[in-house]
């Protein structure tokens, strides 16, 4: 028999990956009543982005418990003010005896918890507080639901399936020297910060000197978090490119089309915010694409105007924009995309054409077709989809012939190369690196 989920929370290492984690765990609502996060995760999240997440958690009936035990009174009150504007059920754990914290929590509709009211179940199976604790938190950093559910049984269902194996990750600036040579970046979609992305990938700095991160990640970061990210990037000599491709979808995220007025207005606000955040982070390169046309009208002319507006704002911020061609979206073919870039560059010289091997893996044909779009400064490298991994558009390079990999390396020259595949693991990424090296050394 499953224990009641009320008061049972699962620790989350960050807020950015929270939604994707919960969506991949369909049995989460039957096992936990909510999630628990450190107060610094709230501090590091953009308030507008946090409010969107709060609405999503509220719709799913998921409580968020914030651990502020090591925060000062001022820091705790600032977190309470932030949570007060976020929809949903919130709890806050604190050690301070200051009644102002409790009073402000109650006034904001937040449930205050003293530290002795919460039990923390960590690796080894021992909880930090008596079993009478009103709230229990399972601390784990794994994405494996099998491990989480086993740990939950060990923690409080009395089944004793084994010791708790989950643990919180530790982050540290890598001491190893950075990679030298032409820029080589890795597209990462599930990291809370650049530092976390590197820390989760042992040996990253010996094989890469940069990251391509999603625009949604950028929009999720608070100004103070971006300032810390920039200091870490500068100290680590890491380059970053921001990819808007996954967010530019017409709906529900970003749109260039004015066909739905309120949605376009929100997109303009978010795109402007993203450009400002890029400038704050010190990032000077972005990747964009188009989105499908509206179902009932041909809104391509409106899209073009929206794209031109973004290019102008990016130019004012000193940002170079690279166009990702997509045969499933306007303008359609690779040739048409090159023509579009050529036309837009006449008034927006900060636009470039990205070499995308998903659209054309034959390097000779790719470069020949792209020539009207101007010089290539960024390569987006992955194998075209096949039937072996349904629903994944960007496959590892190991799917390509060695001659093709060698041709890509030669053609790229000193341009930045992004390994753009949707890798299932760091080991799969390393296998691609080995395939590239083997092809070049032939």
């Amino acid at each position: 028999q499953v224990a009641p989920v009320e008061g049972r929370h699962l620790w989350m290492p960050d807020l950015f990956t929270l939604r994707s984690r919960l969506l991949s765990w369909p049995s989460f609502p039957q096992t936990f009543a909510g999630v628990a996060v450190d107060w610094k995760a709230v501090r590091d999240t953009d308030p507008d982005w946090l409010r969107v997440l709060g609405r999503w958690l509220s719709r799913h009936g998921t409580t968020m418990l914030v651990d502020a035990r090591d925060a000062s009174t001022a820091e705790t009150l600032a977190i309470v003010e932030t949570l007060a504007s976020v929809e949903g059920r919130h709890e806050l754990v604190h050690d301070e005896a200051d009644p102002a914290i409790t009073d402000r929590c109650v006034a904001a509709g937040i449930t205050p918890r003293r530290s002795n009211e919460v039990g923390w179940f960590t690796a080894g199976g021992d909880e930090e507080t008596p079993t009478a604790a009103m709230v229990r938190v399972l601390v784990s950093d794994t994405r494996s639901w099998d491990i989480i559910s086993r740990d939950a049984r060990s923690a409080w269902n009395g089944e004793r399936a084994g010791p708790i194996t989950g643990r919180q990750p530790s982050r540290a600036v890598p001491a190893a020297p950075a990679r030298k040579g032409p820029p080589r970046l890795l597209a990462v979609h599930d990291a809370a910060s650049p530092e976390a992305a590197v820390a989760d990938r042992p040996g990253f700095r010996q094989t890469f000197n940069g990251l391509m991160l999603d625009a949604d990640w950028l929009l999720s970061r608070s100004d103070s978090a971006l300032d810390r990210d920039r200091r870490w990037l500068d100290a680590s000599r890491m380059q970053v490119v921001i990819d808007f491709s996954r967010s530019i979808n017409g709906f529900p995220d970003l749109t260039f089309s004015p066909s739905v007025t309120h949605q376009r207005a929100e997109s303009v606000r978010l795109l402007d915010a993203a450009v400002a955040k890029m400038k704050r982070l010190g990032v000077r390169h972005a990747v964009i694409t188009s989105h499908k046309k509206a179902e009932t009208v041909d809104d391509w002319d409106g899209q073009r105007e929206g794209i031109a507006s973004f290019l102008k704002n990016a130019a004012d911020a000193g940002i170079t924009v690279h166009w990702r061609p997509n045969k499933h979206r306007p303008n359609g073919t690779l040739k048409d995309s090159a023509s579009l870039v050529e036309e837009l560059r006449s008034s927006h010289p900060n636009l470039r054409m990205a070499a995308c091997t998903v659209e054309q893996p034959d390097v000779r044909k790719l470069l020949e077709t792209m020539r009207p779009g101007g010089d290539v400064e960024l390569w987006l490298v992955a194998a075209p989809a096949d039937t072996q991994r349904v629903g994944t558009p960007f496959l590892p390079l190991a799917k390509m012939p060695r001659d093709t990999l060698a041709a890509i390396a030669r053609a790229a020259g000193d341009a930045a190369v992004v390994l753009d595949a949707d890798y299932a693991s760091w080991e799969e990424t390393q296998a691609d690196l080995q395939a590239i090296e083997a092809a070049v050394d032939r």
Side-chain angles (χ1 to χ4, degrees):
Q1 182 178 356
V2 178
V5 300
E6 188 64 32
R8 311 298 201 228
H9 296 334
L10 177 63
W11 178 264
M12 293 287 166
D14 62 83
L15 287 172
F16 176 66
T17 63
L18 187 154
R19 179 158 44 181
S20 64
R21 289 171 186 260
L22 297 191
L23 287 173
S24 68
W25 300 331
S27 298
F28 179 89
Q30 287 76 50
T31 312
F32 299 96
V35 295
V37 297
D38 188 80
W39 69 274
K40 291 184 284 293
V42 177
R43 177 201 62 187
D44 291 347
T45 302
D46 180 87
D48 290 336
W49 195 93
L50 182 60
R51 280 189 280 272
V52 174
L53 176 64
R55 289 194 293 271
W56 187 85
L57 291 173
S58 180
R59 287 197 301 271
H60 290 79
T62 304
T63 300
M64 181 165 67
L65 181 143
V66 177
D67 180 13
R69 288 177 295 171
D70 64 348
S72 67
T73 298
E75 290 167 334
T76 303
L77 288 172
I79 294 300
V80 172
E81 292 303 316
T82 298
L83 293 177
S85 65
V86 178
E87 184 179 332
R89 295 175 55 188
H90 310 306
E91 300 179 337
L92 185 133
V93 188
H94 65 97
D95 277 336
E96 291 287 344
D98 191 337
I101 295 177
T102 299
D103 292 345
R104 186 64 191 100
C105 281
V106 173
I110 300 167
T111 303
R113 301 284 189 192
R114 298 303 298 270
S115 57
N116 61 0
E117 297 178 34
V118 182
W120 305 86
F121 292 80
T122 57
D126 296 327
E127 60 176 339
E128 298 177 8
T129 56
T131 55
M134 299 174 64
V135 175
R136 299 183 181 186
V137 178
L138 176 62
V139 180
S140 178
D141 68 347
T142 179
R143 286 179 178 265
S144 167
W145 180 250
D146 288 342
I147 294 176
I148 291 171
S149 59
R150 184 186 65 196
D151 282 352
R153 292 194 301 272
S154 296
W156 52 62
N157 282 356
E159 297 182 18
R160 297 301 168 193
I164 295 173
T165 57
R167 65 186 187 281
Q168 295 185 59
S170 58
R171 307 292 184 203
V173 176
R179 176 183 182 270
K180 297 180 179 180
R184 180 193 288 165
L185 295 83
L186 177 66
V188 175
H189 310 289
D190 61 352
S193 69
E195 184 179 2
V198 172
D200 287 341
R201 294 164 173 84
F204 182 94
R205 286 168 58 85
Q206 287 77 58
T207 48
F208 293 94
N209 44 21
L211 295 158
M212 186 164 77
L213 302 170
D214 291 334
D216 189 41
W217 168 81
L218 180 72
L219 290 167
S220 78
R221 298 293 272 176
S222 67
D223 288 347
S224 61
L226 289 173
D227 291 342
R228 289 193 301 277
D229 291 335
R230 180 166 185 169
R231 290 193 293 271
W232 186 88
L233 290 169
D234 290 345
S236 303
R237 297 184 179 181
M238 282 279 168
Q239 302 181 40
V240 168
V241 172
I242 297 298
D243 184 10
F244 288 79
S245 304
R246 296 189 179 216
S247 295
I248 299 173
N249 49 34
F251 181 84
D253 300 311
L254 300 177
T255 180
F256 286 128
S257 171
S259 57
V260 181
T261 305
H262 70 274
Q263 187 183 355
R264 174 56 183 160
E266 177 64 6
S267 291
V268 169
R269 185 188 71 80
L270 291 173
L271 289 167
D272 288 349
V275 169
K277 286 176 182 287
M278 285 183 66
K279 190 173 181 179
R280 190 176 195 110
L281 188 59
V283 174
R284 294 291 178 261
H285 293 272
V287 175
I288 68 168
T289 188
S290 60
H291 52 79
K292 291 182 179 180
K293 296 179 182 179
E295 294 184 1
T296 56
V297 297
D298 185 347
D299 62 352
W300 173 235
D301 288 341
Q303 272 204 61
R304 281 174 54 98
E305 292 179 8
I307 292 166
S309 176
F310 177 80
L311 292 174
K312 181 182 183 304
N313 291 343
D316 291 343
I319 295 171
T320 299
V321 180
H322 304 267
W323 181 264
R324 181 195 290 271
N326 188 327
K327 61 188 174 185
H328 301 295
R329 303 178 181 184
N331 266 349
T333 67
L334 186 61
K335 181 179 180 180
D336 289 337
S337 288
S339 298
L340 173 67
V341 171
E342 180 184 23
E343 181 181 345
L344 288 172
R345 281 192 70 176
S346 62
S347 51
H348 303 285
N350 61 321
L351 180 63
R352 303 287 187 274
M353 184 82 169
C356 183
T357 60
V358 167
E359 298 301 309
Q360 175 54 270
D362 186 307
V363 175
R364 183 185 62 80
K365 292 181 180 179
L366 177 64
L367 293 177
E368 181 179 331
T369 307
M370 289 175 49
R371 189 170 292 116
D375 295 337
V376 174
E377 299 178 8
L378 184 70
W379 284 70
L380 304 174
V381 181
D386 58 20
T387 57
Q388 296 182 26
R389 193 185 282 185
V390 177
T392 302
F394 304 150
L395 297 182
L397 295 175
K399 299 285 185 182
M400 288 182 167
R402 279 191 174 186
D403 290 345
T404 299
L405 296 180
I408 291 172
R410 289 194 300 269
D414 292 332
V417 175
V418 179
L419 268 64
D420 200 26
D422 290 298
Y423 292 108
S425 65
W426 175 234
E427 289 71 26
E428 193 173 54
T429 309
Q430 292 175 308
D432 258 11
L433 290 170
Q434 293 172 4
I436 294 172
E437 298 297 335
V440 172
D441 291 341
R442 286 184 65 185

